[in-house]
Amino acid sequence: MGIKKGRELFSQNSTVDTTLSRLREVIIKEKVQVNDYRPIVAVDTSVWYRQSLANPRDDSKVSAQYHSEPRVPVAAVSSSIAKKASILRQHRFEVILVFDGAYHPLKDEEHSARENQLSREQNLAKLADAYSNPDNYSVEDVNKIKKALLYPRNDITHDIVQVAKQNKFMVAGAPFETDFQIAALHNQGIIDVAWSVDTDMLGLGVQYVIKSMTQQGKIKLMDYNKLVTRTLPKEFGHPNIRIRQADLNLYCCMLGNDILRNGKPGEGRVRCGKKMNEYLAMASDEAKRRFIEDYRNAHDNPRRFSMALFAWEHSPAYLIVPDDPEVSAKDALILGEYNVELGSMAALPIEHRREDFFLPTDDCPKLGYIPHLQLRSKHEYMDGSTHPTHRNFFRMEVYARTGRPLEAVPKQYNNNDQEVAYGAIINFDNYPMKFVPTRQIE
């Protein structure tokens, strides 16, 4: 979800209306590239995923496919995502679909809040009651309950990955959070643009973040440069300075984010702005260091604040290590000549080589966990033979959330053990049926 307080500073005050063509021209000029350069957009796939599940245009189709018993592929979702990626390609952009991995160990509060908001068990109970007592529920009631139960499924993720590969769109799996993986791809110079509705993308330093697009290529763009040169300097009462990334990291933790959910209790956007005014007026780095230390000590959970600030700068992500040191990470990824290692999203692999993690072991307590052990402890194959590699996770050959390859919906067979088309078999026990007179149907 991103920044908790003052979200409008990122999502509204730092947003511009432009077009894909204009954005591409700006990127080519900034990076001194040739005119046929195709910028790469890293898409937070969960955004398109949920938008596709809730797309009013395909509402009945998605719901019918999603709630079929036995299960059938929800082709409407993968088709919708492929169409959006194709619009970007038509405007001469390339696409990387980035997928979430394992749950981030420091986002337990955020995951708990989302689970409570979804109330999935309550809706499942309502749907079961509707099937048992169809006379008590209208068709509209049942459809409303079904829509509330639309959530990502592993078989749908499998289909998205397969459709992406068929259309030659790149895919990338994150070890934990998509946000930090996209930031790592940005820091390595692999991507030029992100697509997300989360405000923390700007807070993590990604320069351009698309949050909506029309079929004609008109976009709403969150602009990092506008944020740090105009929006925040004005907010902090220092209109003539550029906010450094280190200062922005501090501010994002003051406001609260998915790791530090409520920031500092009792402090809203106005008070945080005044604190930043005081902080930015300090002449020396030593004075700023003491300010951060005092702020942390005054926090109701100093250790959590320290971990959140460190994680905002160094959360784990997969880094591309080219087989040829003379080749850039971007070219190595495109050529397929690379290895993958787990590291800090802010680190460059050539400069920070470690056996398992690019941060020194002494720094892992600052995160509050050891990332490679966090993954390894959960992800053994059923036969216990081997662990998947980071490259397997990154290429979505193995899903980092489960430690196993993604699988499609099982094929369907009739009573003669013959394979039949999806949807040919219907479990009528899971559908509310009513007996009515023929004249009522007419």
Side-chain angles (χ1 to χ4, degrees), residues 308-338:
L309 183 57
F310 189 81
W312 199 256
E313 300 171 340
H314 294 291
S315 272
Y318 284 136
L319 303 180
I320 301 300
V321 183
D323 293 342
D324 183 349
E326 301 299 319
V327 175
S328 70
K330 182 175 185 176
D331 290 340
L333 178 62
I334 293 172
L335 293 171
E337 299 173 355
Y338 64 91

Side-chain angles (χ1 to χ4, degrees), residues 205-217:
V206 177
Q207 188 167 7
Y208 298 116
V209 183
I210 300 172
K211 65 177 187 177
S212 67
M213 173 184 71
T214 67
Q215 289 187 346
Q216 294 72 36

Side-chain angles (χ1 to χ4, degrees), residues 344-357:
S344 162
M345 66 178 187
L348 297 177
I350 303 303
E351 299 173 357
H352 296 269
R353 292 299 297 274
R354 298 287 186 274
E355 286 186 7
D356 291 296
F357 191 53

Side-chain angles (χ1 to χ4, degrees), residues 162-182:
Q162 294 307 308
V163 168
K165 291 180 177 179
Q166 290 167 11
N167 287 278
K168 294 183 169 35
F169 298 122
M170 291 181 281
V171 298
F176 298 103
E177 290 289 323
T178 298
D179 300 340
F180 302 124
Q181 185 59 55
I182 291 177

Side-chain angles (χ1 to χ4, degrees), residues 155-397:
D155 61 277
I156 305 177
T157 303
H158 167 275
D159 295 346
I160 295 170
V161 171
Q162 294 307 308
V163 168
K165 291 180 177 179
Q166 290 167 11
N167 287 278
K168 294 183 169 35
F169 298 122
M170 291 181 281
V171 298
F176 298 103
E177 290 289 323
T178 298
D179 300 340
F180 302 124
Q181 185 59 55
I182 291 177
L185 293 170
H186 178 267
N187 293 338
Q188 283 200 279
I190 294 173
I191 67 164
D192 305 281
V193 186
W195 183 304
S196 179
V197 295
D198 281 359
T199 48
D200 52 10
M201 282 278 80
L202 282 192
L204 292 170
V206 177
Q207 188 167 7
Y208 298 116
V209 183
I210 300 172
K211 65 177 187 177
S212 67
M213 173 184 71
T214 67
Q215 289 187 346
Q216 294 72 36
K218 294 181 180 179
I219 59 174
K220 288 191 178 296
L221 185 75
M222 292 188 282
D223 187 336
Y224 177 83
N225 190 59
K226 183 177 180 181
L227 176 73
V228 298
T229 62
R230 293 162 57 187
T231 304
L232 292 186
K234 180 181 178 181
E235 177 78 4
F236 300 155
H238 292 272
N240 297 320
I241 68 170
R242 179 186 179 91
I243 306 301
R244 301 179 308 167
Q245 182 60 42
D247 303 332
L248 182 56
N249 294 338
L250 173 62
Y251 185 54
C252 289
C253 289
M254 284 181 171
L255 292 173
N257 50 60
D258 289 351
I259 297 175
L260 192 67
R261 184 166 174 78
N262 295 314
K264 187 174 181 180
E267 284 192 358
R269 168 183 161 181
V270 173
R271 186 168 293 184
C272 288
K274 290 180 179 178
K275 290 283 187 181
M276 287 301 296
N277 176 284
E278 177 186 349
Y279 170 80
L280 293 170
M282 294 177 177
S284 68
D285 289 340
E286 177 60 23
K288 290 181 177 180
R289 186 194 65 78
R290 287 198 302 269
F291 175 93
I292 295 174
E293 185 174 335
D294 291 342
Y295 188 88
R296 180 199 64 207
N297 291 336
H299 198 277
D300 65 330
N301 192 337
R303 184 172 180 272
R304 183 79 179 187
F305 180 84
S306 294
M307 288 194 300
L309 183 57
F310 189 81
W312 199 256
E313 300 171 340
H314 294 291
S315 272
Y318 284 136
L319 303 180
I320 301 300
V321 183
D323 293 342
D324 183 349
E326 301 299 319
V327 175
S328 70
K330 182 175 185 176
D331 290 340
L333 178 62
I334 293 172
L335 293 171
E337 299 173 355
Y338 64 91
N339 197 4
V340 176
E341 295 191 27
L342 185 64
S344 162
M345 66 178 187
L348 297 177
I350 303 303
E351 299 173 357
H352 296 269
R353 292 299 297 274
R354 298 287 186 274
E355 286 186 7
D356 291 296
F357 191 53
F358 292 8
L359 293 174
T361 304
D362 292 345
D363 279 350
C364 288
K366 297 178 183 178
L367 281 172
Y369 62 99
I370 301 175
H372 69 278
L373 293 182
Q374 187 78 21
L375 285 175
R376 187 171 296 171
S377 65
K378 295 183 178 180
H379 296 149
E380 287 189 75
Y381 284 135
M382 294 290 286
D383 59 8
S385 60
T386 185
H387 291 280
T389 66
H390 295 312
R391 182 181 169 94
N392 293 146
F393 288 145
F394 180 79
R395 291 165 63 90
M396 292 297 289
E397 295 162 346

Side-chain angles (χ1 to χ4, degrees), residues 81-135:
I81 289 175
K83 286 178 182 178
K84 290 182 178 180
S86 295
I87 292 174
L88 289 169
R89 181 171 281 174
Q90 289 168 9
H91 287 84
R92 305 179 74 182
F93 285 80
E94 291 301 329
V95 176
I96 301 179
L97 297 178
V98 185
F99 295 81
D100 279 315
Y103 289 120
H104 198 292
L106 296 185
K107 293 180 67 171
D108 48 355
E109 293 180 359
E110 181 67 17
H111 293 310
S112 177
R114 291 179 186 178
E115 288 296 325
N116 290 337
Q117 184 179 5
L118 290 174
S119 302
R120 182 168 175 266
E121 295 303 323
Q122 295 178 12
N123 285 317
L124 281 172
K126 286 182 181 179
L127 188 61
D129 187 58
Y131 289 157
S132 302
N133 303 287
D135 289 333

